[in-house]
């Protein structure tokens, strides 16, 4: 049975690598609209961007639908998690044909959960607290960071991963398990402390968990299925904190994303942007607001892509869990699994489907030694 499921995992990986579903949510005219929003704000006017997007490939939808049918032959909890993930991807592509705010809100709330008034209050308190911004010079460009990452991956024998620099991305960095790829947004600049954090966060968490999972007898553990994301980002922040690298800038950035997701549910883009400007400069406020309206064409409408809220929620969830259950940390490195999957992880270990992950937090110093 494992060989059949692993073939399913291989097919899934190849599909995601080729289709790149997230490309349809990134506006083509992001920079132009950013300038218009800033000009309107400075003039006391209002401007809600009308984002333009790459047209969705109907072939991509058909391929995913056909792949989804093949899963009905399996009665396995890992395949059920994969089915949930593929259903979300199919709906994402369908939503990206219309770019409708209501549909995008419904889909993302169903996957990532609604905002919480209590958590929003914590985020607002975080944003109102005084903090010291870093004064470290950022003089390493995206190509330079790519070179650092390549050395770090080589130090732990992960030479089957690639690093690319791309001009158009929602995030500054992105890790794709399916493509075994780290993407860096062109034009970004990095200081030494940030580079150190990124080695811990991007490779020490995201890449390590993916690589461990993809080398398991049950390879689906390496692909980030179901509700994994909150644990994924929370664990990355937890590791930064344990390494003495997590600071107020990180926490404020994630709090700002939570505030944006909450505000976007009820308001159009420019109102979200104005709310964020009370806590951030134009670049950060615009970028964060754009993420909260990801995939939406008419941004004057209320509605949010709420995925980004998990970054702020995740650290507390992971920290609270590991405080009570510290021995669960190695289990979280069996693959890209979530806290809610730990009972399944234990069962899978008992069945011989999973074992001790090949990459663990103890190897993070090997990454840092390459700096």
């Amino acid at each position: 049975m494992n060989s059949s499921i692993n073939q399913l995992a291989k097919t899934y990986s190849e599909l995601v690598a080729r289709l790149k579903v997230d490309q349809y949510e990134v506006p083509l005219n992001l920079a132009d609209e950013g300038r218009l929003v800033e000009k309107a704000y400075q003039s006391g006017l209002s401007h809600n961007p009308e984002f333009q997007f790459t047209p969705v490939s109907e072939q991509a939808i058909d391929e995913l639908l056909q792949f989804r049918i093949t899963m009905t032959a399996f009665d396995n909890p890992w395949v059920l998690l994969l089915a949930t993930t593929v259903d979300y991807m199919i709906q994402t592509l369908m939503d990206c044909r219309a770019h409708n705010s209501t549909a995008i809100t419904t889909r993302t709330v169903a996957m990532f959960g609604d905002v919480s008034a209590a958590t929003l209050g914590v985020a607002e308190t975080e944003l109102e607290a005084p903090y010291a911004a870093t004064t470290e010079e950022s003089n390493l460009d995206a190509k330079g960071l790519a070179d650092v990452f390549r050395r770090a991956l080589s130090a732990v024998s992960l030479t089957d991963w690639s690093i690319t620099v791309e001009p158009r991305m929602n995030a500054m960095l992105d890790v794709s398990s399916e493509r075994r790829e780290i993407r860096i947004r062109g034009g970004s600049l990095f200081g030494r402390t940030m580079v150190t954090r990124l080695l811990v966060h991007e490779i020490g968490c995201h890449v390590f968990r993916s690589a461990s999972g993809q080398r398991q007898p049950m390879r689906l553990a390496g692909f980030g299925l179901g509700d994994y994301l909150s644990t994924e980002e929370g664990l990355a922040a937890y590791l930064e904190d344990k390494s003495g690298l997590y600071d107020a800038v990180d926490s404020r950035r994630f709090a700002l994303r939570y505030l944006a997701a909450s505000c976007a549910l009820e308001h159009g883009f420019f109102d979200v942007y104005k709310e964020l400007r009370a806590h951030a400069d134009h670049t950060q406020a615009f970028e964060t607001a754009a993420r909260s309206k990801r995939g939406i064409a008419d941004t004057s409408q209320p509605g949010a892509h709420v995925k980004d809220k998990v970054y702020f929620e995740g650290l507390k969830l992971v920290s609270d869990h590991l405080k009570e259950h510290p021995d669960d940390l190695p289990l979280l490195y069996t693959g890209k699994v979530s806290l809610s999957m730990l009972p399944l992880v234990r069962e899978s270990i008992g069945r011989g489907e999973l074992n001790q992950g090949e990459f663990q937090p103890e190897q993070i110093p090997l990454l840092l030694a390459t700096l």
Side-chain angles (χ1 to χ4, degrees):
M1 175 64 79
N2 273 6
S3 61
S4 298
I5 295 176
N6 285 341
Q7 181 57 49
L8 199 69
K10 182 175 183 293
T11 303
Y12 169 73
S13 175
E14 292 169 349
L15 267 177
V16 173
R18 185 173 70 255
L19 300 181
K20 297 184 179 180
V21 171
D22 59 347
Q23 69 177 302
Y24 301 110
E25 295 183 310
V26 182
L28 296 169
N29 58 336
L30 192 65
D32 290 341
E33 289 293 348
R35 287 188 285 270
L36 292 174
V37 166
E38 184 176 26
K39 182 178 179 181
Y41 181 79
Q42 292 174 344
S43 303
L45 303 174
S46 175
H47 176 73
N48 288 299
E50 293 186 11
F51 288 134
Q52 300 165 4
F53 300 91
T54 301
V56 173
S57 164
E58 294 301 319
Q59 181 181 346
I61 296 176
D62 291 341
E63 286 190 59
L64 284 172
L65 286 171
Q66 289 301 312
F67 177 67
R68 179 65 176 84
I69 291 171
T70 66
M71 281 179 254
T72 59
F74 296 87
D75 181 18
N76 178 281
W78 289 99
V79 178
L80 289 176
L81 286 168
L82 176 62
T84 298
T85 304
V86 172
D87 286 341
Y88 179 82
M89 292 171 62
I90 292 168
Q91 191 58 53
T92 297
L93 288 175
M94 291 181 172
D95 288 345
C96 285
R97 288 189 298 197
H99 297 287
N100 179 270
S101 61
T102 300
I104 290 170
T105 301
T106 299
R107 167 172 54 86
T108 59
V109 168
M111 175 59 82
F112 302 108
D114 209 341
V115 298
S116 152
T119 305
L120 176 61
V122 175
E124 290 174 330
T125 299
E126 179 78 30
L127 290 169
E128 290 164 3
Y131 78 104
T134 180
T135 57
E136 185 176 64
E137 185 178 359
S138 297
N139 52 16
L140 187 71
D141 63 12
K143 183 178 180 297
L145 182 64
D147 291 338
V148 171
F149 279 3
R150 288 189 188 98
R151 290 198 302 271
L153 291 171
S154 179
V156 290
S157 301
L158 277 170
T159 54
D160 57 339
W161 281 71
S162 63
I163 318 290
T164 60
V165 176
E166 293 194 10
R168 190 169 61 87
M169 292 172 55
N170 270 320
M172 186 179 292
L173 283 100
D174 172 69
V175 174
S176 170
S177 302
E178 295 78 17
R179 296 190 295 272
R180 295 181 189 173
E181 176 187 49
I182 303 174
R183 296 187 302 159
I184 306 169
R185 188 171 62 200
S188 302
L189 292 173
F190 308 89
R192 183 177 177 83
T193 301
M194 182 182 287
V195 172
T196 308
R197 285 204 305 270
L198 292 173
L199 285 172
V200 173
H201 186 117
E202 305 296 340
I203 299 180
C205 180
H206 300 333
V207 174
F208 275 11
R209 294 211 320 147
S210 176
S212 286
Q214 291 183 33
R215 298 185 185 193
Q216 294 281 6
M218 176 60 69
R219 292 175 197 160
L220 280 176
F223 291 111
L225 307 177
D227 66 347
Y228 87 100
L229 187 63
S230 182
T231 301
E232 182 78 18
E233 295 300 338
L235 181 59
Y238 173 86
L239 292 169
E240 287 185 43
D241 189 36
K242 290 299 181 182
S243 301
L245 296 167
Y246 194 73
D247 63 18
V249 174
D250 296 307
S251 188
R252 283 178 58 84
R253 183 171 70 254
F254 295 151
L256 200 70
R257 290 181 183 181
Y258 201 95
L259 175 60
S262 175
C263 189
L265 286 169
E266 304 294 334
H267 301 282
F269 184 103
F270 197 74
D271 286 340
V272 177
Y273 172 81
K274 285 195 298 183
E275 182 75 18
L276 302 184
R277 280 304 303 262
H279 310 286
D281 62 14
H282 163 73
T283 299
Q284 188 177 31
F286 178 78
E287 226 176 64
T288 306
R291 290 172 66 103
S292 75
K293 295 291 184 180
R294 193 178 310 169
I296 297 172
D298 181 3
T299 64
S300 67
Q301 299 300 308
H305 192 301
V306 301
K307 175 181 176 180
D308 277 356
K309 76 184 189 65
V310 305
Y311 290 84
F312 190 70
E313 297 169 333
L315 176 58
K316 185 177 190 315
L317 289 171
V318 171
S319 297
D320 288 351
H321 181 89
L322 291 177
K323 184 177 181 179
E324 294 294 321
H325 308 282
D327 292 342
D328 281 353
L329 181 58
L331 294 181
L332 292 175
Y333 272 80
T334 56
K336 288 176 80 75
V337 299
S338 67
L339 294 174
S340 71
M341 294 177 197
L342 288 180
L344 174 59
V345 168
R346 293 187 179 93
E347 291 171 11
S348 296
I349 290 173
R351 292 193 296 265
E353 295 175 342
L354 296 180
N355 50 46
Q356 175 81 15
E358 186 171 336
F359 300 95
Q360 291 285 334
E362 290 79 7
Q363 292 160 275
I364 289 175
L366 295 175
L367 305 175
L368 302 183
T370 63
L371 281 176

